[in-house]
Amino acid sequence: MTEWKAILAHQDEWSRGQSRRYRMSIEDGVTLYDDAPLWALRRSANRRRKAMHPGNEVTYLVDRNVNYTNVCTINCQFCSFYRPPGHEESYTQSIDEISARFAELEAIGGSRVLMQGGVHPELPIEWYENLISQLKLKHPTILLDCFSPIEIDGIADVTGLTTLEVLNRLKQAGVDGLPGGGAEMLVDEVRNDVSPKKHSAGDWMRIMQEAQSLGLTTSATNVIGFGETMEQRIAHMDFVRNSQDEAIEKWQNGFTSFISWPVQLEVNSFGKRNRGQNRIVLGVGASEYLRHVSISRLFLDNVEHIQASWPTMGLEVAQIALLGGADDIGSTMMEENVVSASGTTRVKVSAEELQNVIIRAGLKPRLRDSKYSLFETPPAGEELSELACPPPTQS
Ligand code: SF4
């Protein structure tokens, strides 16, 4: 049996309950990346999804994004969203502007706001505390996943607190969790190339672990297509998997999910840098993205949910990912300005569209919140707002 076949055979035996857990090594992951055909990876990953999530249910979330400021000092080369301080196109939204966006979400029965922006060099922690506490007061049913690790680092710098102290104060103000943004590739060699002013892979993970230790909700993301090696992609997953082991053991609170997508190269200096005669072929097409989803499902045996990314890949490819390892199709978003500034085409879908994508894959849609608590799911086609904030039925 060739090596990739043996690795997948072990994985399949485990998925079928015919053997004990067979944890893939880094070498196994690289072998699958290099040698296994896509159809075989997808078949094994689909088996694993069914084993981990019996009932063929695929979850989705009704939420919105709020990008409260585009002021940022980090200058990631793949980012077209940020503006340096003082730039004529820079903005920071007021509490009233942000609250109005929350009200739009409430009107359609949404349950979560994901709020993230740039690393603002001047806003003190009191600004964030005031924002969060007022939003929590005005919109008590909305879960708040706010400020990715690099923003937490920025607030700590401005305020002279540790990141743990910042997280603690934001939690007291009403933050429920952190967005998983900013992980990109958790390999410093790659990070130093594409975002040299961003904090290290270790800093990103430390802040996530601090959040987990406080009981906050977290997810792990992964951007591919920077020209990284397959070893580096698997190293990213291995870092997440090791941290997850530790977090579950210490705090029973690890990452809820793993979400990957390809770097967007349309409108940013990273994309331009790689055009021309000596152009390195960067970015990732549908086939490679689907391969990554399937390998992540098999490798990350301690992360419960794998999410398909419709904003970067489109609904059709996201639907195909649901039959190759993913068990969640993400959320309605309503608005997204960070990744979309670099070239995605859609930043908003309705709950009904997500339901239909799931149903047409032969699967069952299930409404969730950001903690993956399951809600009673409206029949496809029914306006969600008619069910206004349904209570969770199961965790
Ligand atoms: S990706 Fe985030 S940290 Fe990097 S430049 Fe853009 S807003 Fe700033």
Side-chain angles (χ1 to χ4, degrees), residues 72 74-76 78-79 81-82 117-119 150 184 198 338:
C72 188
I74 303 296
N75 311 354
C76 301
F78 52 82
C79 180
F81 164 72
Y82 83 92
V119 177
I150 188 68
E184 284 106 30
K198 212 166 203 169
V338 182

Side-chain angles (χ1 to χ4, degrees), residues 56-75:
N56 268 339
E57 288 186 344
V58 165
T59 44
Y60 69 99
L61 170 66
V62 177
D63 76 344
R64 81 167 296 156
N65 282 18
V66 172
N67 302 119
Y68 63 98
T69 184
N70 66 350
V71 177
C72 188
T73 55
I74 303 296
N75 311 354

Side-chain angles (χ1 to χ4, degrees), residues 50-235:
K50 287 181 182 173
M52 291 180 77
H53 303 285
N56 268 339
E57 288 186 344
V58 165
T59 44
Y60 69 99
L61 170 66
V62 177
D63 76 344
R64 81 167 296 156
N65 282 18
V66 172
N67 302 119
Y68 63 98
T69 184
N70 66 350
V71 177
C72 188
T73 55
I74 303 296
N75 311 354
C76 301
Q77 290 186 21
F78 52 82
C79 180
S80 310
F81 164 72
Y82 83 92
R83 295 291 180 271
H87 191 282
E88 60 181 13
E89 293 170 1
S90 65
Y91 71 79
T92 301
Q93 292 168 349
S94 67
I95 292 177
D96 285 346
E97 285 174 300
I98 296 171
S99 180
R101 286 172 162 79
F102 275 58
E104 288 171 5
L105 177 67
E106 285 171 328
I108 61 162
S111 64
R112 187 275 293 263
V113 167
L114 187 150
M115 186 154 58
Q116 60 182 357
V119 177
H120 198 295
E122 283 168 7
L123 296 177
I125 190 162
E126 290 78 11
W127 185 89
Y128 294 91
E129 288 177 312
N130 185 39
L131 171 70
I132 294 297
S133 54
Q134 290 210 39
L135 290 171
K136 207 62 175 175
L137 202 64
K138 290 182 181 170
H139 311 281
T141 63
I142 303 292
L143 289 174
L144 300 177
D145 288 346
C146 303
F147 318 128
S148 58
I150 188 68
E151 291 163 86
I152 300 294
D153 232 352
I155 300 168
D157 277 351
V158 170
T159 317
L161 297 169
T162 66
T163 50
L164 182 59
E165 288 166 338
V166 168
L167 288 166
N168 230 327
R169 284 178 59 169
L170 292 175
K171 186 186 173 192
Q172 298 311 318
V175 163
D176 297 289
L178 264 55
E184 284 106 30
M185 188 59 62
L186 291 171
V187 175
D188 284 332
E189 203 183 337
V190 179
R191 296 176 83 77
N192 290 338
D193 185 37
V194 299
S195 45
K197 286 163 75 179
K198 212 166 203 169
H199 58 188
S200 68
D203 285 336
W204 186 93
M205 194 63 86
R206 173 183 51 77
I207 292 168
M208 280 304 195
Q209 287 209 337
E210 289 172 352
Q212 290 162 351
S213 75
L214 297 175
L216 296 169
T217 307
T218 54
S219 57
T221 58
N222 183 199
V223 182
I224 56 174
F226 296 111
E228 71 280 352
T229 64
M230 301 308 116
E231 285 81 0
Q232 287 169 328
R233 288 186 189 172
I234 299 294

